[in-house]
Amino acid sequence: MKYTETEMRVVLADSRYQDIGNLPSNFYPYPGETKMYIRPFTVKELKLVSKAAILKDMSHLIRAVDLVCSMDAGNLSIGDFYYVLMWLRIHSMPKTPYVVEWHCNEAVVVNRQTGERLMNDENFKLPEDEKNWRVERCEAHNSEVIHMTNVRIITLDETNFDGIPQNDIVEYDFPRARNIQEIQEALNDPELQLIVGAAQWVKAGETLEEKIAILEAQPDLQAFDDAAVLHETIEHGIEEDTTLTCRECLKQTAHTLTVDALTFFR
């Protein structure tokens, strides 16, 4: 949460709080701010995280983050918010690995007579007697514990960034964490799925619905097109991935991880 000067002195006297260092946005979305102090979650905050995971409501997760950092969590850019979530997971629960559940849809080669499967590993080779083999889907349900991931921090490239371009009708701003829930829901709506990327960059309007209404009120698509360019070109945040191995066919698959409420519990 945003602290007063008196509250900040209390934070600085609490050894649990750390300077998180630079954010992926280089603090550009927060004029006047250059530091953020943060502490790991305790069970009190974890209760809110649990509520977010069970109800699938990001507002409780944002509230939990707000209780442990010196800036308004809802006002964080979405890229910075996920970076902060990653920090909290690493520092709050360092012994808890990721658990990824997934279905393998890889094609496997199966012997028609014996049912023998050829493994999709580095030794895989198509059999010469092709008529004795058929192709089917693996369809294995996998639950894999992940201890090692590859993390890439995407920092706003200020050398080529002169600020967010504006036009005379619609102002633009970084998408903020307070709208994450609405954005996720809109991405599941076929009517809005291809609109939400641009709409979240509209500055005016507290809700995503209000931002979309502003674009709808325009006489042409110029404002939408400008916002869509921002969505495609201005990037910051984190990317985390790992390699999964199917327990049945041994096929290795690249998988992108997303830090959310549930990842704090498994």
Side-chain angles (χ1 to χ4, degrees):
M1 65 181 69
K2 180 68 174 175
Y3 292 117
T4 64
E5 186 176 338
T6 300
E7 289 170 330
M8 183 58 74
R9 284 199 291 268
V10 174
V11 166
L12 295 176
D14 188 335
S15 62
R16 295 176 301 165
Y17 281 86
Q18 304 175 42
D19 181 349
I20 199 172
N22 197 20
L23 294 174
S25 69
N26 295 320
F27 287 89
Y28 186 90
Y30 327 109
E33 301 282 1
T34 58
K35 288 183 180 294
M36 185 174 81
Y37 292 91
I38 188 168
R39 66 166 171 82
F41 281 149
T42 66
V43 171
K44 289 182 179 180
E45 291 82 39
L46 210 59
K47 289 165 68 176
L48 282 170
V49 180
S50 173
K51 194 173 183 179
I54 298 303
L55 299 180
K56 294 180 172 56
D57 186 342
M58 286 287 289
S59 65
H60 302 297
L61 182 57
I62 293 170
R63 175 61 177 153
V65 175
D66 195 56
L67 292 172
V68 301
C69 69
S70 63
M71 290 174 60
D72 178 356
N75 195 48
L76 292 174
S77 72
I78 291 177
D80 284 344
F81 180 76
Y82 280 105
Y83 176 80
V84 170
L85 273 189
M86 182 186 70
W87 188 99
L88 284 166
R89 193 181 189 289
I90 290 171
H91 290 82
S92 302
M93 310 184 77
K95 295 181 181 178
T96 304
Y98 287 104
V99 176
V100 178
E101 293 191 10
W102 56 290
H103 284 85
C104 180
N105 291 315
E106 189 67 26
V108 291
V109 179
V110 182
N111 189 286
R112 294 181 184 277
Q113 280 74 44
T114 66
E116 176 194 357
R117 282 184 164 196
L118 298 183
M119 295 295 99
N120 285 316
D121 57 13
E122 66 275 6
N123 297 318
F124 174 80
K125 187 171 67 172
L126 283 172
E128 294 181 2
D129 53 336
E130 294 182 18
K131 64 181 181 180
N132 293 325
W133 300 79
R134 68 177 186 274
V135 176
E136 62 183 39
R137 293 292 174 186
C138 176
E139 297 186 347
H141 178 77
N142 295 276
S143 182
E144 190 167 347
V145 178
I146 307 298
H147 293 279
M148 295 292 293
T149 65
N150 302 309
V151 178
R152 183 168 73 95
I153 299 171
I154 305 166
T155 303
L156 187 66
D157 184 6
E158 290 192 297
T159 58
N160 297 312
F161 182 68
D162 297 323
I164 297 178
Q166 307 292 338
N167 65 36
D168 296 333
I169 302 173
V170 176
E171 285 189 272
Y172 305 108
D173 187 24
F174 288 93
R176 305 289 173 155
R178 66 174 67 91
N179 297 123
I180 287 178
Q181 181 77 24
E182 298 171 282
I183 291 169
Q184 289 179 342
E185 291 171 357
L187 288 172
N188 292 320
D189 183 338
E191 190 173 59
L192 299 177
Q193 192 174 88
L194 301 180
I195 306 297
V196 63
Q200 63 186 307
W201 285 84
V202 174
K203 183 174 183 178
E206 286 296 314
T207 67
L208 181 66
E209 183 179 7
E210 291 171 347
K211 296 175 187 295
I212 292 173
I214 289 170
L215 292 179
E216 287 180 330
Q218 304 309 308
D220 55 35
L221 290 176
Q222 185 60 56
F224 174 83
D225 191 45
D226 290 343
V229 170
L230 297 178
H231 182 62
E232 292 296 325
T233 58
I234 299 179
E235 185 182 20
H236 69 282
I238 62 167
E239 286 185 353
E240 189 172 14
D241 59 62
T242 189
T243 300
L244 303 176
T245 304
C246 177
R247 62 183 175 83
E248 294 286 346
C249 73
L250 303 184
K251 176 67 176 180
Q252 291 193 325
T253 305
H255 177 77
T256 299
L257 295 163
T258 301
V259 184
D260 57 20
L262 196 56
T263 60
F264 284 84
F265 295 96
R266 62 179 194 178

